[in-house]
Amino acid sequence: DNSGKNPAGRIPTARVDLLSVPDAAITADASAWKLRAHLAPTKLDKTPTLVPNNTSPVCGTQVRTDAESTSASPRLHVLTYATKATSMLCDSLRVAQRVNLKLVLLGWQEQYRGNFQKLEAAREYVARLPPDDLVLFADAYDVLYVADEREIVRRYLEMQVDPSRVLFQAEKGCWPDWDMAFGRAFCRERYPPSRTLYRYLNSGVWMGRAAPAFELLTEMVAFTPGLDDQHVVSHMFVDAPERFALDYEARLFQSFQEEKGAVTAVAASDTSLASVRNVATNSS
């Protein structure tokens, strides 16, 4: 039983502090993530007050701030981490609400000190779960959802992921190593090949059983702060690929990083939700 392990001490460092990002930059960034749907505008609530049942009104949505699971089988816990409201976070939460996806929001109103906090918060949450429960974690400020819990579980089980592995999103770009000393050789020569355009691991979205997720998060926490979590987990993947699975065919996760033409967006209507289709992998 690893639930009693304590994480090592932390030094609060980070490459980018979201609290210092100008509002103008947030607004410009957000324009690329607006969903084509008729969603009622809601004023950002930057100082939400907790209400009964441990929910918090964030961006006009009721978001869980404690344990929550679904009636899907196996049970699924959908986690994200955010300390403050931005227009991108509100897009993510409203879309999740539109598709009836229940999120657990970790870290709300904490002082942001670095990406290592999302790892620690996810590890603390996962440590309390039964080992076979499913966990989906997605970053809060650049992820949108197009399916509910039952559909997510159905697609995950359909992929027949080894229960000892954690499934990560795959993308085209090798970040951040590509911009680091000797990183391009690592990306070109050491990274496992892919049968599709999506070769590289993205640590911002992953899904797996609670037990292997806890073990992976424990190791990731040990290397951060000081190093970017995607840099850390990418090297873990290269060194021990048997612990990982990547969604090379975008069957569950679709990255838009360096996306040029393979993905076609389908706009929402009054009777349907927005969706995307990848013509390169024939997935949607």
Side-chain angles (χ1 to χ4, degrees):
D1 181 8
N2 292 324
S3 61
K5 290 184 178 179
N6 293 321
R10 300 288 161 253
I11 302 173
T13 61
R15 292 186 178 184
V16 179
D17 188 338
L18 290 182
L19 298 178
S20 66
V21 177
D23 288 342
I26 291 175
T27 302
D29 242 357
S31 63
W33 289 100
K34 292 295 184 185
L35 182 71
R36 298 175 185 177
H38 302 291
L39 300 176
T42 305
K43 183 179 179 180
L44 297 184
D45 185 352
K46 296 188 178 182
T47 56
T49 302
L50 291 180
V51 296
N53 297 323
N54 293 316
T55 63
S56 180
V58 183
C59 304
T61 67
Q62 294 297 318
V63 181
R64 299 288 303 192
T65 55
D66 68 342
E68 173 71 27
S69 64
T70 72
S71 58
S73 181
R75 288 186 297 176
L76 173 66
H77 306 258
V78 186
L79 314 180
T80 190
Y81 183 94
T83 59
K84 62 180 291 188
T86 69
S87 54
M88 291 178 287
L89 173 65
C90 290
D91 282 344
S92 182
L93 297 183
R94 290 171 185 154
V95 171
Q97 184 178 59
R98 186 176 176 91
V99 298
N100 297 316
L101 184 66
K102 297 178 182 178
L103 297 181
V104 177
L105 177 60
L106 306 174
W108 186 244
Q109 293 188 308
E110 290 182 1
Q111 180 181 359
Y112 181 79
R113 295 174 292 148
N115 278 352
F116 67 93
Q117 290 171 265
K118 71 176 183 180
L119 304 177
E120 293 182 338
R123 179 184 180 275
E124 180 181 354
Y125 183 99
V126 172
R128 305 193 302 265
L129 300 180
D132 290 331
D133 275 16
L134 285 172
V135 181
L136 167 61
F137 182 94
D139 284 347
Y141 297 107
D142 58 357
V143 173
L144 298 176
Y145 305 89
V146 295
D148 62 13
E149 291 94 337
R150 291 184 180 278
E151 178 63 13
I152 291 172
V153 170
R154 185 191 70 79
R155 291 194 182 200
Y156 176 83
L157 295 178
E158 194 175 67
M159 294 175 71
Q160 298 183 333
V161 178
D162 187 318
S164 67
R165 298 179 180 228
V166 178
L167 175 71
F168 280 80
Q169 183 181 69
E171 64 183 10
K172 294 180 180 179
C174 185
W175 188 90
D177 289 87
W178 190 260
D179 296 325
M180 301 173 71
F182 309 108
R184 298 192 179 187
F186 169 79
C187 296
R188 290 170 173 156
E189 300 167 14
R190 294 198 58 199
Y191 236 93
S194 169
R195 56 187 175 272
T196 71
L197 299 172
Y198 308 102
R199 179 181 181 184
Y200 301 103
L201 181 149
N202 183 325
S203 66
V205 184
W206 54 264
M207 183 171 175
R209 304 282 177 172
F214 176 84
E215 293 180 3
L216 200 62
L217 286 166
T218 298
E219 294 187 33
M220 292 171 66
V221 165
F223 286 101
T224 56
L227 293 172
D228 182 86
D229 62 286
Q230 182 150 313
H231 172 73
V232 169
V233 76
S234 292
H235 283 259
M236 291 173 66
F237 167 60
V238 170
D239 291 340
E242 70 278 0
R243 301 178 62 188
F244 296 82
L246 264 62
D247 188 4
Y248 289 119
E249 297 178 347
R251 295 173 64 184
L252 190 60
F253 311 134
Q254 175 63 63
S255 170
F256 285 86
Q257 192 262 355
E258 293 189 6
E259 197 53 71
K260 297 178 181 178
V263 176
T264 302
V266 179
S269 68
D270 292 337
T271 58
S272 66
L273 298 173
S275 62
V276 295
R277 179 162 186 81
N278 191 313
V279 296
T281 61
N282 194 31
S283 59
S284 60

